[in-house]
Amino acid sequence: MNKQFDVVVIGGGPGGYVAAIRAAQLGWSTACVESESYADPRGEVRLGGTCLNVGCIPSKALLQSSELFEQAGHSFVMHGISTTGVKMDVATMMQRKDNIVGQLTGGIKGLFKKHKITLLPGHGRFVGREDDRWQVEVAGETVDATHVIVATGSRARHLPGIPVDNTIICDNVGALQFDSVPKRLGVIGAGVIGLELGSVWKRLGAEVTILEALPDFLASVDQAVAKEAWKVFTKKQGLDIQLGVNITKVEVAREGVTVEYELGDEIRILQCDRLIISVGRVPHTEGLGVENVDLALDSRGYIGVDHNCRTNLPNVWAVGDVVPGPMLAHKSMEEGVMVAECIAGQKGHFNPDTVPWVIYTHPEIAWVGKTEQQLKNEGIDYRTGQIPFAANGRALGQGDTTGFVKMLACAKTDRILGVHVIGNNASELISEAVVAMEFNASSEDIARICHAHPTLSETMHEASLAVDKRPLHLTLMAARDTR
Ligand code: FAD
Ligand code: NAI
């Protein structure tokens, strides 16, 4: 007889492993299928998916190392600390990153043991349905499940005619394991990966050129933030970002990569030693056997789901990057929890309107809710409060005053509609705005909350006061000047 489970999760990334843990907590016998995409040094399958193995966690480790290198070389001096001969040992930086990945992926295996979740290593594939139970084949064995949660994630989108070898031409996998700092790095796509990984190698000394197809920089980000980011990245940090390009040819030769592209009427050539392709990600359903059970995909290849992540099939659910919506680890995890709770007959909660975004450049960029351009397009009447970190004592003490907090609130109800931060620690500051928006708070609610002094969070407080034209530590005129 086939092994029987209440819940089988296919995919062990943030969506899948969290769904499995929550299902087990709720008392279901649970298994998680994870293919051999990622393996530890002993060849054993690793949990954690893209996020832990080749995404969020390794990229943030490299961002931290490279930021410290940058600070040691350029920012310590303002504190009176002199440094000479600061060097980066790339192998040590990579080993540290790998250790963090190993620690966290191993930790999930520990969590699985604790929750008595069965790990089924191998590629999972739907093979059919019998007696109201789904059959999933894994490594030649078929298991039966009352519920299946598909969490097979995404993979990097590649461009036709540009072969990725993950040594010279890399997607996120190769770009996180360079063995040396390239002298000249080319990046195609000025999105989240292009900016984060471009920043890493720029800080370590590479000449970085980023080629972006769209004419606008960070088109989906609030335009005030995008404008500030453009200024800092290009003018202060020296990232060469070309907008509105059309890549026409990429050739690899012994001396490196040649990228030919059109910019307006001109044909230009970029010579580089390595090239990162970061032009978005696509949902991963290859080999999943969707055709065996008629699991419906939408026109872009995502698994179609309702607001509770139900697919077109009874008791088959899908979460994370494989379903429409932002491709973010925390969004995947929230959906995983919601589905497990729905399976248990609970209501399940996930609010797509309060999913925060963070770009971990320096300064960091973080936001939640609507941008000013969205509000304009939707004809919503709003008020704005924008306060620069230059007016914040903690930021001055830290020697890092770039950026601002911008709050957008409904003109009629004062309910917060969006908050946009560019600056040091924006990733942490945005949480206050997420909590506020989740509870339908108004800018006045934030204005009445006591914020510790001196902290960067006081800038959020001041921004909420500025919505009502009453900032305490900045004249309204100066607040307006930052826009
Ligand atoms: P995945 O993490 O992709 O996991 C899917 C898993 O399913 C994989 O382990 C795969 O091997 C397995 N699988 C697929 N098909 C099968 C099958 N048929 N059988 C068995 N197993 C299967 N997000 C953030 O929120 N913050 C960040 O800072 C961030 N940084 C990122 C940096 C980079 C460089 C990249 C590439 C992504 C980053 N992301 C970040 C996005 C984040 O990694 C994804 O949104 C998240 O991993 C999606 O989780 P998931 O569980 O849906 O899918
Ligand atoms: P992205 O969607 O953020 O950016 C891709 C960029 O490439 C876009 O600006 C797009 O216009 C451009 N582009 C597309 N085709 C092009 C072409 N032919 N030539 C030139 N430019 C082209 O995708 P990215 O950076 O690959 O990241 C994928 C996803 O991974 C992100 O959307 C995000 O969901 C997730 N991620 C999240 C991070 C975070 O939360 N901090 C960090 C990294 C990735």
Side-chain angles (χ1 to χ4, degrees):
M1 193 172 105
N2 296 343
K3 280 188 196 147
Q4 313 271 320
F5 294 96
D6 297 323
V7 178
V8 167
V9 182
I10 307 180
Y17 83 74
V18 166
I21 291 173
R22 188 71 189 115
Q25 284 175 343
L26 289 162
W28 305 114
S29 64
T30 305
C32 180
V33 187
E34 172 53 53
S35 67
E36 271 97 15
S37 308
Y38 312 108
D40 69 16
R42 286 174 304 170
E44 282 182 21
V45 66
R46 261 185 162 155
L47 291 162
T50 305
C51 168
L52 265 65
N53 292 284
V54 290
C56 325
I57 296 299
S59 59
K60 267 78 252 180
L62 298 185
L63 279 155
Q64 183 66 20
S65 299
S66 59
E67 179 57 24
L68 289 178
F69 177 76
E70 163 77 21
Q71 284 182 14
H74 297 100
S75 309
F76 282 13
V77 66
M78 76 167 121
H79 299 275
I81 306 168
S82 43
T83 51
T84 46
V86 178
K87 285 199 190 115
M88 170 54 82
D89 176 21
V90 173
T92 304
M93 175 179 78
M94 289 295 173
Q95 189 57 56
R96 171 182 176 275
K97 172 212 52 154
D98 291 342
N99 292 346
I100 295 167
V101 169
Q103 189 180 333
L104 289 177
T105 53
I108 297 173
K109 273 200 181 155
L111 291 172
F112 270 28
K113 253 192 205 140
K114 183 167 173 279
H115 289 92
K116 301 192 171 45
I117 297 164
T118 305
L119 171 60
L120 301 172
H123 190 88
R125 188 170 74 98
F126 282 102
V127 285
R129 181 164 160 91
E130 245 175 54
D131 301 332
D132 286 347
R133 294 175 73 79
W134 295 102
Q135 269 103 47
V136 175
E137 187 191 78
V138 190
E141 194 188 338
T142 301
V143 297
D144 289 358
T146 310
H147 291 267
V148 177
I149 305 174
V150 180
T152 48
S154 62
R155 57 176 172 72
R157 185 165 83 86
H158 291 173
L159 293 172
I162 308 184
V164 170
D165 62 3
N166 270 327
T167 306
I168 301 295
I169 302 187
C170 301
D171 58 23
N172 59 298
V173 176
L176 289 163
Q177 54 192 28
F178 288 176
D179 53 4
S180 59
V181 180
K183 188 166 173 313
R184 298 159 309 171
L185 173 67
V187 180
I188 302 186
V192 200
I193 295 181
L195 291 173
E196 288 189 358
L197 294 183
S199 296
V200 166
W201 298 107
K202 173 75 194 161
R203 291 167 191 166
L204 299 182
E207 283 167 32
V208 179
T209 304
I210 307 183
L211 304 175
E212 165 61 43
L214 290 179
D216 296 320
F217 180 58
L218 289 177
S220 59
V221 172
D222 187 274
Q223 284 310 287
V225 171
K227 204 169 133 197
E228 177 77 2
W230 174 263
K231 204 170 66 193
V232 179
F233 297 157
T234 60
K235 300 219 165 77
K236 281 200 190 151
Q237 298 178 359
L239 281 174
D240 177 8
I241 307 174
Q242 309 275 333
L243 300 174
V245 309
N246 178 27
I247 310 288
T248 45
K249 208 192 300 167
V250 173
E251 273 175 355
V252 186
R254 230 155 39 104
E255 60 281 7
V257 188
T258 306
V259 182
E260 187 189 274
Y261 61 97
E262 291 168 352
L263 185 61
D265 295 336
E266 267 181 65
I267 304 268
R268 293 196 181 183
I269 301 286
L270 169 70
Q271 296 282 1
C272 49
D273 309 303
R274 280 181 155 142
L275 181 68
I276 298 177
I277 312 282
S278 48
V279 293
R281 296 182 64 81
V282 289
H284 186 216
T285 54
E286 289 86 354
L288 183 61
V290 292
E291 63 291 348
N292 297 335
V293 289
D294 289 332
L295 178 60
L297 307 184
D298 70 14
S299 57
R300 295 185 305 152
Y302 292 89
I303 297 178
V305 286
D306 71 4
H307 65 285
N308 280 137
C309 290
R310 282 189 181 86
T311 68
N312 64 315
L313 303 175
N315 295 348
V316 176
W317 313 72
V319 300
D321 282 9
V322 78
V323 306
M327 288 183 163
L328 296 173
H330 42 282
K331 176 257 191 187
S332 309
M333 294 192 234
E334 288 300 308
E335 287 179 339
V337 169
M338 172 180 70
V339 164
E341 294 181 351
C342 286
I343 289 173
Q346 298 180 7
K347 195 160 171 281
H349 171 83
F350 167 65
N351 182 356
D353 296 335
T354 54
V355 174
W357 272 89
V358 179
I359 307 178
Y360 293 83
T361 42
H362 192 94
E364 291 180 344
I365 295 171
W367 72 96
V368 57
K370 305 239 179 196
T371 61
E372 187 164 356
Q373 58 268 25
Q374 278 174 320
L375 294 178
K376 277 193 182 135
N377 290 342
E378 290 170 23
I380 297 171
D381 244 357
Y382 61 90
R383 294 192 300 166
T384 314
Q386 184 172 314
I387 297 288
F389 285 109
N392 178 281
R394 187 75 196 280
L396 278 164
Q398 290 175 338
D400 194 347
T401 55
T402 309
F404 54 81
V405 175
K406 171 173 174 179
M407 187 174 287
L408 299 160
C410 176
K412 282 195 205 103
T413 64
D414 191 36
R415 195 162 71 86
I416 300 171
L417 301 174
V419 176
H420 305 269
V421 185
I422 175 166
N424 188 16
N425 262 323
S427 55
E428 303 293 342
L429 293 173
I430 201 67
S431 292
E432 178 177 9
V434 175
V435 173
M437 286 185 63
E438 186 63 39
F439 289 96
N440 285 320
S442 62
S443 80
E444 187 60 24
D445 291 327
I446 300 279
R448 286 173 187 278
I449 290 171
C450 179
H451 290 70
H453 175 75
T455 60
L456 299 178
S457 73
E458 288 173 292
T459 308
M460 185 72 74
H461 188 219
E462 290 284 347
S464 70
L465 292 165
V467 169
D468 195 38
K469 299 190 173 44
R470 52 179 226 265
L472 288 166
H473 293 92
L474 199 74
T475 61
L476 203 56
M477 195 65 84
R480 277 206 196 103
D481 285 347
T482 68
R483 277 178 228 165

